[in-house]
Amino acid sequence: QVLLEESGGGLVQAGASLRLSCAASGHTLGVYSMGWFRQAPGKEREIVAGTTSGGTTYYSDSVKGRFTISRDNDKYTIFLQMNNLKPEDTAVYYCAVSNRWPLLKSSVGFWGQGTQVTVSS
């Protein structure tokens, strides 16, 4: 069992920045990739960004150049720095871990509870 504790969501105006954090605890030995998904109302959950313990990263096209994912391997913690936020970034953001790469919805082993990000225009 891996527990994921997320923090950092909130309500901001377009153009602002937010930083999400996710700390994994429990049986983390098998965790290889960590990342963020998001789900807007009425839409499917989609990957935002992911990273491996070796430093490989992935970003969806919609956030490339605006979001940065980083990882503290010693603490099994990841961060998502979100800059120049847009109203279309509004969603619940979920932290996820997997023992595989790429980080796909189908390969996620554990999910966080989600944190709301709301961007007003």
Side-chain angles (χ1 to χ4, degrees):
Q1 182 81 1
V2 175
L3 299 176
L4 300 173
E5 184 174 352
E6 302 149 332
S7 61
L11 169 63
V12 296
Q13 289 188 326
S17 298
L18 278 175
R19 188 183 193 225
L20 305 183
S21 301
C22 173
S25 61
H27 295 164
T28 57
L29 198 57
V31 171
Y32 178 63
S33 62
M34 299 181 70
W36 296 93
F37 289 74
R38 68 186 181 187
Q39 188 166 18
K43 294 190 176 181
E44 300 247 340
R45 191 171 297 189
E46 62 178 5
I47 181 129
V48 175
T51 183
T52 68
S53 57
T56 301
T57 58
Y58 167 83
Y59 297 94
S60 68
D61 287 343
S62 61
V63 307
K64 206 171 290 183
R66 300 188 296 123
F67 291 11
T68 303
I69 190 169
S70 58
R71 176 169 174 168
D72 182 336
N73 281 329
D74 290 341
K75 298 181 180 179
Y76 285 98
T77 300
I78 58 170
F79 306 93
L80 185 68
Q81 178 66 42
M82 305 185 293
N83 296 330
N84 190 22
L85 282 160
K86 303 176 180 181
E88 51 264 43
D89 294 318
T90 296
V92 178
Y93 284 68
Y94 296 92
C95 181
V97 298
S98 172
N99 59 1
R100 305 177 189 178
W101 184 260
L103 183 60
L104 305 175
K105 260 194 305 187
S106 58
S107 69
V108 169
F110 297 94
W111 295 95
Q113 80 283 359
T115 185
Q116 178 71 45
V117 172
T118 303
V119 185
S120 63
S121 57

